[in-house]
Amino acid sequence: MFQHIKKWRLYQEADNVLGTIYTIQLSAVYHSRSIVVTFKDVSAVTIRDMETLTDLSDGFLNIKMQPQGMLYLVEEWEEQTFRFYCRQYEVTEAE
């Protein structure tokens, strides 16, 4: 569960293996610590309401591996504000 989404960013970048991919970077507060979650090779992005997304105060981030293999379904579980697929993700603590 994260307490507050501080920043949400979708952008294109070059990948040495895959070519051009989409990446989502999500900055949030988790247990009173600032974290950054980076999702690589993003597809099928659905955002219900951008204003709701920036004002989201609490939420459950659900990341579930799909039966197809190295593909993850990422969604905000409680409010269903956003949903997308990615091939990899990493969580880092913000400095």
Side-chain angles (χ1 to χ4, degrees):
M1 180 168 158
F2 50 88
Q3 288 87 35
H4 178 68
I5 294 177
K6 298 191 309 188
K7 188 173 166 186
W8 168 277
R9 195 168 77 125
L10 170 66
Y11 58 93
Q12 268 187 343
E13 66 178 325
D15 182 89
N16 292 337
V17 177
L18 300 171
T20 301
I21 63 169
Y22 287 97
T23 298
I24 288 179
Q25 196 170 57
L26 178 70
S27 299
V29 176
Y30 177 74
H31 292 289
S32 302
R33 294 189 330 233
S34 293
I35 62 166
V36 176
V37 187
T38 304
F39 304 95
K40 299 273 188 172
D41 199 7
V42 171
S43 61
V45 178
T46 303
I47 300 173
R48 192 180 75 200
D49 182 0
M50 283 301 285
E51 286 190 22
T52 301
L53 181 62
T54 56
D55 292 337
L56 192 63
S57 59
D58 291 316
F60 288 101
L61 183 64
N62 186 29
I63 302 173
K64 183 168 46 169
M65 183 175 273
Q66 298 300 289
Q68 301 91 331
M70 289 302 296
L71 189 64
Y72 299 93
L73 170 63
V74 180
E75 59 188 342
E76 195 286 310
W77 184 75
E78 197 168 58
E79 299 293 324
Q80 299 179 351
T81 308
F82 59 85
R83 174 188 172 112
F84 57 86
Y85 292 92
C86 72
R87 294 218 180 267
Q88 70 182 80
Y89 67 94
E90 70 176 9
V91 179
T92 55
E93 194 162 347
E95 298 178 10

